[in-house]
Amino acid sequence: MKDKVKIKLEEIVKCIVDGIENDAIEKTIGLYNGKFGILLFLYYYSYYSGDKKMRSFADNFAEKIVDDLWTERIPTFCSGLSGVLYLFEFLREQQFIDIDLENADAEFDNYLIHCMERFMEEIYYDFMHGALGIGLYFMKKGDNIEPVLKLIDFLYDTAEKDFDNMVFKWKSVIQIEEGTIGYNIALSHGIASIVLFLSRAVSSRIEHNKLLALLEGAVNYMLSQGIDVEKYGSYFPPQSLENENSFIGKSRLGWCYGDLGIAYSIWYAGKAIDKKDWINLGMNILLNSIERKDTNTNFVSDAGLCHGSAGIAMVYNRLFLETANPVFLEASHYWIKQTLMFATYADGLAGYKSYQGQHKESECDYNLLTGISGIGLMLLSYLLNDKQKWDEMFLLY
């Protein structure tokens, strides 16, 4: 399979280079859905290939797009400044590059603090598009934890609390187009991301007297949303059992929604505070999820990291790196194989298109979250047999 992966990787690189040279790449600065996520892939590829010309190409691309940070003021982790600045911290840490922002750090940080405060006023915690992603950047940077402490206070103050059962929950927008409000337990936009954020705060030794109560309450809410796996085919529903007209049934297999992200967050939280029942429960669900291999019944429609096969491979490979259990490595390789099989579009990028949902056309997509940059990054980690440290930007490490 390695030879096939190498061939596909070279196709992806060619598409990205051609896209940059022909100005076909996304105009946004985002980490998940813009130019800086593509830059991450280019640096990893230049390291893998040892190609000095590719490293020079990546450096030139970086120099060009850094200028956009002064003109595109979007604060979010997915599409804007907090995700990009987190990436810079990561690139410095991994000794890929030290991007010089010309002493603009304080200006950017003050802007992000202001935006985070606005999101908190709007009671908008969303990891990808709201306050949580900005807090994640400040936690990563580490030189000013005050915004993180304020965010923990915000989560505590806005939680709906059931102290008798020690259950904390939060409402959010669950259907953007309709503006529907409800409870979301998923990783990408829901309470699983809160659990992973709080768990990372514990692991980072951030001291806050409400932190452990928040973590316990959030995990307990997710556990209260479990469904009968024998009846429905998954341990958790797509969102929450409490939502009006909620769908009580099988959730997808993917990073963004469903058992993988929720069980991973339970397991990770258990590790953070050494709570054996959470560790065992999360691991049991994750091990059972390995048997879910059919793409159709698991609603896997493309290869991207968000909701596709490469993202499933990413989660299983992280679990192998954390546990050394070979069944997770085998599962990751299975989904790498499926990733190759999704390259079926004659008019796609290296054969790939991104699934946009029912009744929508699949699209060519260069991005990290849903497109070929993320697919290529996962293929690189497979070939390099590395520690996949980049997945910390997907709340996995």
Side-chain angles (χ1 to χ4, degrees):
M1 186 167 69
K2 282 192 174 183
D3 288 341
K4 292 181 179 179
V5 170
K6 289 177 181 177
I7 292 169
K8 184 55 61 180
L9 183 62
E10 296 306 318
E11 293 176 14
I12 289 172
V13 173
K14 184 179 186 307
C15 285
I16 289 175
V17 170
D18 288 348
I20 292 172
E21 290 179 340
N22 295 319
D23 199 29
I25 295 291
E26 284 73 9
K27 304 302 181 185
T28 58
I29 66 169
L31 171 62
Y32 278 2
N33 66 350
K35 292 176 280 193
F36 280 95
I38 295 166
L39 180 66
L40 174 63
F41 167 76
L42 289 175
Y43 276 125
Y44 262 92
Y45 178 78
S46 65
Y47 170 78
Y48 158 78
S49 65
D51 187 334
K52 292 182 179 179
K53 289 183 178 179
M54 182 55 65
R55 175 57 191 251
S56 178
F57 182 85
D59 287 341
N60 290 335
F61 184 54
E63 185 176 344
K64 179 181 178 181
I65 64 178
V66 161
D67 291 339
D68 294 336
L69 296 179
W70 278 264
T71 57
E72 294 188 40
R73 285 300 178 94
I74 303 169
T76 65
F77 196 84
C78 174
S79 307
L81 193 59
S82 58
V84 172
L85 295 181
Y86 190 109
L87 172 65
F88 290 175
E89 295 296 321
F90 177 81
L91 292 174
R92 292 187 192 106
E93 192 176 81
Q94 301 304 313
Q95 299 182 336
F96 278 113
I97 190 173
D98 188 359
I99 295 177
D100 185 7
L101 294 179
E102 299 179 2
N103 301 315
D105 282 7
E107 177 187 343
F108 287 149
D109 284 2
N110 288 336
Y111 166 73
L112 288 176
I113 289 170
H114 170 75
C115 291
M116 192 180 81
E117 289 173 348
R118 190 187 75 224
F119 284 139
M120 290 191 294
E121 288 173 1
E122 296 169 355
I123 315 181
Y124 190 45
Y125 69 80
D126 190 289
F127 156 60
M128 289 172 60
H129 305 300
L132 215 60
I134 298 175
L136 193 71
Y137 157 66
F138 281 107
M139 196 188 307
K140 175 69 172 178
K141 192 176 183 186
D143 62 350
N144 178 12
I145 65 165
E146 190 62 29
V148 180
L149 299 177
K150 288 183 178 179
L151 185 52
I152 293 170
D153 280 330
F154 159 75
L155 289 170
Y156 189 87
D157 293 342
T158 57
E160 297 177 37
K161 308 175 190 70
D162 174 1
F163 286 109
D164 291 338
N165 297 297
M166 201 53 194
V167 168
F168 291 9
K169 59 187 179 182
W170 296 261
K171 284 183 177 177
S172 61
V173 177
I174 56 174
Q175 290 179 320
I176 296 175
E177 293 178 359
E178 294 81 7
T180 308
I181 303 295
Y183 303 101
N184 187 340
I185 58 175
L187 193 161
S188 53
H189 303 288
I191 293 173
S193 65
I194 293 178
V195 168
L196 289 168
F197 175 84
L198 296 171
S199 299
R200 190 178 291 190
V202 172
S203 300
S204 301
R205 298 181 180 178
I206 290 176
E207 296 184 3
H208 193 293
N209 60 358
K210 299 168 184 173
L211 182 55
L212 295 181
L214 274 169
L215 185 57
E216 181 180 1
V219 171
N220 283 344
Y221 179 71
M222 290 196 303
L223 294 177
S224 74
Q225 299 304 297
I227 58 177
D228 184 349
V229 66
E230 297 297 329
K231 180 178 180 180
Y232 295 109
S234 66
Y235 287 84
F236 294 98
Q239 292 178 348
S240 169
L241 303 176
E242 293 186 83
N243 295 335
E244 186 178 354
N245 300 320
S246 62
F247 171 70
I248 303 175
K250 189 177 187 179
S251 56
R252 76 191 321 153
L253 194 68
W255 169 81
C256 55
Y257 279 82
D259 286 359
L260 273 189
I262 297 166
Y264 186 91
S265 71
I266 295 167
W267 172 77
Y268 191 91
K271 283 211 317 168
I273 65 171
D274 194 27
K275 191 170 177 62
K276 295 295 192 295
D277 56 338
W278 291 357
I279 293 172
N280 293 336
L281 177 61
M283 182 53 60
N284 180 61
I285 296 171
L286 292 164
L287 286 168
N288 278 279
S289 72
I290 290 173
E291 301 305 317
R292 295 178 59 180
K293 292 183 175 181
D294 184 86
T295 54
N296 292 321
T297 59
N298 290 306
F299 316 114
V300 184
S301 302
D302 67 11
L305 290 178
C306 181
H307 48 260
S309 57
I312 301 171
M314 170 181 69
V315 176
Y316 285 137
N317 194 49
R318 169 50 53 199
L319 287 164
F320 168 71
L321 292 168
E322 295 296 312
T323 67
N325 188 334
V327 301
F328 287 123
L329 183 63
E330 182 181 347
S332 181
H333 289 178
Y334 172 84
W335 286 101
I336 290 288
K337 183 178 179 180
Q338 299 304 305
T339 297
L340 296 176
M341 294 175 66
F342 273 116
T344 60
Y345 294 94
D347 59 341
L349 298 173
Y352 292 111
K353 286 190 175 183
S354 173
Y355 177 68
Q356 301 299 311
Q358 288 184 335
H359 313 303
K360 295 181 180 180
E361 291 289 331
S362 294
E363 297 178 354
C364 290
D365 188 342
Y366 292 95
N367 291 325
L368 183 67
L369 182 66
T370 53
I372 59 171
S373 292
I375 296 167
L377 197 56
M378 190 59 229
L379 296 182
L380 278 169
S381 278
Y382 167 78
L383 291 173
L384 287 166
N385 194 27
D386 66 6
K387 299 299 183 183
Q388 196 176 286
K389 291 184 177 179
W390 52 267
D391 69 10
E392 70 175 74
M393 286 173 276
F394 290 84
L395 290 178
L396 296 184
Y397 177 64

